[in-house]
Amino acid sequence: MREWLRRQFNGAYERMLRRELGSSPEHVAIIQDGNRRYARSHGDDAPDGHKKGAKTSERVLDWCDESGVEELTLYAFSTENFDRPQEELDPLFDLMEDKLYEFADADRVHESGVRICAIGETERLPARLRDAVDYAEDRTSDYDNFRLNIALAYGGRAELLGAVRDVARDVESGALSPDDVTVDEVDERLCRQPARDVDLIIRTGGDERTSNFLPWHANGNEAAVYFCAPYWPEFSKVDFLRGLRTYESREKSWQRTRTERAVALVRSAAETELAEAKTVASRLREKLPSAGAEEVVAELERQGDAEAAD
């Protein structure tokens, strides 16, 4: 009876969350934390927790498809994870290898047009896992409906350091002028990068930190972050929808801030020259949502009326 009531409550709560949601993030990145702690809490070994976590990863793909998310990045293995005992690493590498082959051959992947990509220092992985990465990427390279990034041997600071060193070498050799060092130049040098900037980071397991995960693509885009308590194997659809709600709340707040800044800028420009304010307003309207653009136009009209009254 208690289990039935729990399912009924979760179903009702899920429907409520769905009604509350509007636009979804394009790119969600997830730190899948808590597999080992989940295993210990159930009296199991670490590989058992990783296997349960892999099942959650498969479900998340379905939830992304239902919600309109276009890109998902899963933090599967960090550079720091190489420090774990070999008796834990070998089963984990075996599991990732099996899952890559399984995903690459799955009908659902090909029917949905999912492109599988690995990001990170994959050359550090065992040869058998590198072969699985190559197989999955080759089998899905022609698809573009949805992109699944698997972060393997990934470390954000190492990635940025490599890009900076690459830029420095080109500047030193004269191949690149210091004045031409732009965001795009750095972006092109990042290893196996995602297709889009990150809109939302989700971390399970209770820790409130982003652990060196996609700093260029997330922090530069002011991504929303949702921390939740469940271990990754316990992560539910309701938890996922709560993450989407966090993104939407942050997005609404950020749009409100952008609109207020735009209105203030138009007001400031109008104090000097109304023609300049019109030029500023025209540029700002293109970067704001429709409601924000309307506020900018209204402010411009108020400034025009004030000038005419003088």
Side-chain angles (χ1 to χ4, degrees):
M1 182 65 176
R2 183 178 298 175
E3 180 63 23
W4 181 85
L5 287 173
R6 187 184 66 81
R7 288 198 303 269
Q8 293 298 310
F9 175 81
N10 286 342
Y13 188 42
E14 178 187 322
R15 290 191 293 273
M16 183 195 75
L17 286 171
R18 284 202 166 279
R19 285 195 298 269
E20 291 179 349
L21 292 173
S23 59
S24 293
E26 292 185 356
H27 184 181
V28 175
I30 302 181
I31 302 171
Q32 308 163 99
D33 195 17
N35 289 318
R36 293 189 299 169
R37 284 177 287 162
Y38 172 85
R40 285 197 297 268
S41 70
H42 287 75
D44 297 325
D45 295 326
D48 298 307
H50 292 304
K51 289 177 182 177
K52 291 285 183 63
K55 295 293 184 182
T56 302
S57 302
E58 294 176 23
R59 291 193 292 271
V60 169
L61 280 174
D62 294 330
W63 303 339
C64 285
D65 183 53
E66 294 171 7
S67 303
V69 175
E70 298 179 15
E71 185 166 2
L72 172 67
T73 299
L74 298 175
Y75 204 174
F77 190 83
S78 71
T79 50
E80 290 80 8
N81 290 152
F82 282 110
D83 295 332
R84 293 181 179 179
Q86 197 62 42
E87 59 268 23
E88 182 181 333
L89 288 179
D90 287 336
L92 181 55
F93 289 148
D94 289 341
L95 176 62
M96 290 189 288
E97 178 187 354
D98 291 343
K99 286 299 177 182
L100 281 166
Y101 282 116
E102 180 183 319
F103 269 51
D105 291 332
D107 291 339
R108 57 182 288 200
V109 167
H110 298 282
E111 290 167 359
S112 301
V114 177
R115 181 178 179 182
I116 301 172
C117 302
I119 61 174
E121 300 175 57
T122 55
E123 67 278 1
R124 296 181 60 183
L125 297 170
R128 68 182 191 280
L129 186 49
R130 294 199 305 270
D131 290 342
V133 166
D134 292 341
Y135 181 81
E137 290 185 333
D138 290 343
R139 285 276 284 150
T140 62
S141 61
D142 293 333
Y143 300 141
D144 59 5
N145 288 346
F146 183 88
R147 178 162 169 148
L148 172 62
N149 304 310
I150 312 295
L152 294 168
Y154 179 83
R157 284 189 292 182
E159 181 184 39
L160 288 176
L161 183 60
V164 169
R165 285 174 172 167
D166 194 22
V167 168
R169 282 192 292 267
D170 283 353
V171 169
E172 185 178 17
S173 68
L176 182 67
S177 167
D179 294 334
D180 292 332
V181 178
T182 63
V183 168
D184 289 339
E185 284 292 336
V186 176
D187 197 63
E188 289 175 2
R189 289 167 166 79
L190 296 175
C191 60
R192 295 171 166 259
Q193 61 206 36
R196 301 169 180 82
D197 283 337
V198 177
D199 299 308
L200 170 66
I201 291 180
I202 296 174
R203 179 171 187 146
T204 62
D207 284 343
E208 297 189 359
R209 51 195 173 89
T210 55
S211 294
N212 197 21
F213 188 35
L214 297 171
W216 180 267
H217 295 91
N219 296 344
N221 194 41
E222 299 192 39
V225 181
Y226 175 65
F227 299 112
C228 59
Y231 299 140
W232 179 240
E234 300 170 318
F235 185 72
S236 69
K237 191 174 185 178
V238 164
D239 296 315
F240 179 74
L241 293 175
R242 283 172 174 163
L244 298 191
R245 185 175 61 181
T246 297
Y247 160 78
E248 188 171 43
S249 297
R250 185 211 63 95
E251 190 66 11
K252 287 179 179 177
S253 174
W254 176 231
Q255 288 181 0
R256 180 70 252 161
T257 299
R258 290 173 63 192
T259 297
E260 290 172 354
R261 289 175 179 172
V263 169
L265 187 56
V266 168
R267 186 181 299 124
S268 177
E271 291 174 358
T272 304
E273 177 61 52
L274 187 60
E276 180 182 345
K278 290 180 179 178
T279 301
V280 171
S282 177
R283 293 173 181 171
L284 291 172
R285 285 200 304 270
E286 298 175 359
K287 300 179 180 180
L288 293 171
S290 57
E294 290 172 3
E295 288 192 41
V296 168
V297 171
E299 178 61 30
L300 186 62
E301 290 174 351
R302 281 194 294 271
Q303 295 300 325
D305 291 343
E307 182 178 274
D310 292 341

